Each structure stands twice: as C-alpha cells, then as structure tokens.
Amino acid sequence: RVLFITSAYPTHPDDARGIFIHRLARELCQHATQVTVIAPGAPSASSSETMDGVDVYRATYWVPRWQCLATDLSGIVPALRQYPWLVAQLPPLIIALTWHALRLSKSFDLIHAHWLYPAGIAGVVAAKHHRLPLVITSHGGDLNLAKHSRVLQLMCKRISHASDACIGVSRSLCEQFRASGIAEDRSVYFPVGAHVANISSSYPGDCDKAFWNFKSFDGLRVIFVGSLTPRKSVETLLEAHHKLEARGLSVASAIVGPGSLRDGLKSMAREALMKNVFIVGEQPPSLIPMWISAAHVLGLPSPSEGQPTVDMEAMALGLPVIATDIAGTRELVRDGGTGFLFPPRDAEKLAISIE
C-alpha cells in the first residue's frame, strides 16, 4: 500500500493539472498496488473521492471556494511571487497536508511525495512519526526554483536527506540531488514517460472549428502544448512566428493549454497583425494527442523544465521537437536528429530552427 502526497492533482478526468501523477497512481492500482492520494483542496472539489480506482483525499486548508495557492498552473512559488498575499495560505496548506498524512499513513507500507515542497515536508513528518520508508520525486519545478533561493536550497537539502530515496524525472535532477550530498545509490533516475499505447490520433466528430482550420492549413503547422504561464515563454514562439511571416513563409501556430496569459497572447498576435495563430486554450487531456498529430512539429520554448512529457508524446506521434537547449529537453531531443535545440528566449534562433 502506497500513500502519494502531491502538490498538484486533477479534480476531474479532463483536468490537466498533475495528470501525470494520476496516471502513475492509476497504473499502479491496475498492477495490484493500492494507491491512495493526498492532494491540496480545490474550489468545488470533493474532500474525498475515487478516480479510476484511486482513492483521493483533498486537504482543506482555506475557505473552500478561495483555496487557490495550489491551483495556479505556474506552481506554488511562482503564484506567491505574482500574488504575495497568498503567503497567508501557505502555513495552513502545509499543516493540512501533514495532518492528513499523519492520519492516513499509519496503515500504509510506503510514502511517496511528489515535489519536495510542500508535499515533501508532510511526507518527512509522517514517515518519521510512523517509521515508514519515504520516497521523494522531483518533477523539476522545485529543484529548478531552488537554484535561485538559498532558503529553498536549504529546505530541499534537508527534505531530500530525510528521505530513503530521491527520484529525478531527468538525469540533471539526479545530478542536483547528488550535488546536495545525496549518495548515488539513493538518487534514482526514473522518467514519468508517455504511455504510447494510449496515444491515439483519431479525431472525434465534435472537434471545434479552430482544430479543423489548423489541421487544414496548407503550410507548416507548429504546435505548443502546455500551461500559458510566464515560465513557458510562449511569447517567444509567437515572436518566431511573426519573423517567419515577415520572411514570406507559410506557417501556422496552435497554442494549446490553460493559463492566465491567454488573453495577453491573443492581444500580442492581434497587435502584430499575425496570421494563422490559433490560441485555443485548455483542451481535455484525451484530445491533446489529436492536436499534436495535426501539426508537423512541436515547439517548446520553456526556459526551465524537468523532463517534459509533451516532448515524448509528440515523438510517439512521429513529430520532431524544437525545444530550448536546457538540461531536461537536452536528454530527449537529439539536436539535428530528432529535432532542434535553441537558446532560451531566442526567437530568432527558434525561427531559424522552424524554417
């Protein structure tokens, strides 16, 4: 019996937030492992439910309809930077996760915390109290953000040293664990991966007009899939699109994903008189392969990543990937072989790669 503690988890089947953790829990349940998940509370979400055979408990940490610290697509630390008043929700979130972990974990064999904070904090307390083994997985955002904060660095070091094993979803994250003093045999590279058998490019009959307009475009079709937040640097892709149009090239760009920057990106495309830009917003996870398969190439301009699953899904559908030359994507994309790598926020180099 395994207890997952996570900082992000979907509230319904079409919710993309933390969907890769739900898929992992679901697959483990199908292989005779009982998995229970503790996740932060979310507006309109039930305090307990079962999703695809996975029991989920949501830790209420604020007035239910105003619980928003852990629902921001950028993550908790970026949310605090954008909305400093949310710091008031941080202590009760940690306390709520820890209380649920202490209450539930005594009947489990193993605790698996996803992200070092705040889930890792709750995991350490519960594992020590009940003398259970603790595994912690970094998905990238936690360790990458800690590079810019001595407080976060110290916290990550203390949490990782208190665990029995540390998993990095990329080799570079494992190197960061080892740089903090974690022994090599306790630092494990284990990517999230993409379940290729579940990736289908079939088109349901109720696809919206934007999809068919994009798919039928007679030119090069580029797609971005991810959260529309500052850390994804989607504007770099739009700048590259604009440069290619100025050179007279026929290109269409589809921007797929939820986030607060959707309206700003639409304004950017409109003010620059860009053509054939489809900013479609959030789509159900089940339709993401369909959107990817309608394109010729995936563009991922993020300046920071763990190991992006969308790259693997694109490759599974036969698409080359153009991504920033950073540790997480460098492990997936062979520059000049399976795609191209370009410097972060360099729209000109991205345009050249697309061309």
Side-chain angles (χ1 to χ4, degrees):
R1 302 187 67 196
V2 180
L3 180 67
F4 275 18
I5 309 174
T6 176
S7 306
Y9 204 76
T11 57
H12 52 82
D14 289 337
D15 186 0
R17 296 164 183 81
I19 187 66
F20 46 91
I21 298 175
H22 174 63
R23 288 170 177 165
L24 175 61
R26 182 186 63 197
E27 292 296 323
L28 285 171
C29 285
Q30 293 177 357
H31 289 81
T33 299
Q34 182 179 342
V35 179
T36 296
V37 175
I38 299 174
S44 72
S46 173
S47 59
S48 63
E49 61 184 323
T50 300
M51 295 177 60
D52 297 332
V54 181
D55 293 329
V56 182
Y57 292 87
R58 301 193 186 275
T60 302
Y61 61 93
W62 204 254
V63 178
R65 62 178 178 174
W66 294 336
Q67 297 177 121
C68 53
L69 177 60
T71 57
D72 193 283
L73 292 165
S74 298
I76 290 176
V77 174
L80 288 173
R81 289 174 179 168
Q82 187 173 4
Y83 308 106
W85 63 269
L86 286 176
V87 71
Q89 294 189 7
L90 185 57
L93 171 61
I94 296 173
I95 292 171
L97 287 174
T98 302
W99 182 80
H100 275 73
L102 285 168
R103 181 174 64 89
L104 294 173
S105 60
K106 59 184 177 182
S107 59
F108 285 80
D109 305 305
L110 172 74
I111 297 176
H112 187 171
H114 293 268
W115 288 285
L116 280 86
Y117 50 86
I121 299 173
V124 168
V125 174
K128 293 292 184 184
H129 183 76
H130 293 298
R131 297 183 179 181
L132 294 173
L134 171 66
V135 175
I136 290 182
T137 291
S138 170
H139 293 275
D142 42 14
L143 288 179
N144 288 333
L145 284 170
K147 294 177 182 178
H148 310 290
S149 168
R150 296 189 66 178
V151 173
L152 291 179
Q153 285 178 10
L154 179 60
M155 183 168 61
C156 286
K157 185 174 182 178
R158 294 286 296 273
I159 293 171
S160 57
H161 278 260
S163 68
D164 295 279
C166 299
I167 294 175
V169 298
S170 69
R171 292 182 176 86
S172 63
L173 293 174
C174 289
E175 291 172 2
Q176 292 184 54
F177 277 128
R178 291 164 190 162
S180 69
I182 299 298
E184 188 169 350
D185 62 350
R186 288 178 53 220
S187 176
V188 183
Y189 165 57
F190 201 89
V192 173
H195 193 172
V196 178
N198 286 345
I199 295 178
S200 170
S201 60
S202 60
Y203 309 130
D206 59 351
C207 293
D208 60 26
K209 183 178 179 181
F211 171 79
W212 295 114
N213 287 343
F214 176 67
K215 186 179 185 301
S216 62
F217 178 77
D218 188 17
L220 184 68
R221 299 188 293 274
V222 183
I223 191 166
F224 164 86
V225 177
S227 57
L228 306 186
T229 57
R231 70 183 182 90
K232 292 293 186 178
S233 192
V234 184
E235 65 274 9
T236 303
L237 179 57
L238 290 187
E239 291 172 12
H241 177 103
H242 188 46
K243 290 176 181 291
L244 292 172
E245 284 191 339
R247 296 172 192 171
L249 297 177
S250 180
V251 59
S253 296
I255 311 298
V256 179
S260 59
L261 297 185
R262 182 183 179 185
D263 290 342
L265 294 170
K266 284 186 174 181
S267 297
M268 178 181 175
R270 183 173 57 253
E271 291 170 6
L273 302 179
M274 297 183 200
K275 301 177 182 177
N276 304 310
V277 173
F278 303 88
I279 301 177
V280 297
E282 186 170 11
Q283 295 288 299
S286 59
L287 295 186
I288 295 302
M290 177 195 77
W291 274 96
I292 293 176
S293 65
H296 296 119
V297 62
L298 177 84
L300 188 64
S302 311
S304 177
E305 287 282 353
Q307 192 175 75
T309 306
V310 68
D311 283 5
M312 291 179 263
E313 291 177 339
M315 291 185 198
L317 288 165
L319 267 67
V321 174
I322 301 176
T324 42
D325 189 4
I326 55 176
T329 52
R330 199 180 301 132
E331 295 177 19
L332 295 173
V333 180
R334 190 174 71 254
D335 192 29
T338 59
F340 290 108
L341 299 172
F342 69 96
R345 304 189 189 279
D346 192 332
E348 177 60 26
K349 290 292 180 63
L350 173 54
I352 292 172
S353 297
I354 295 173
E355 189 174 5

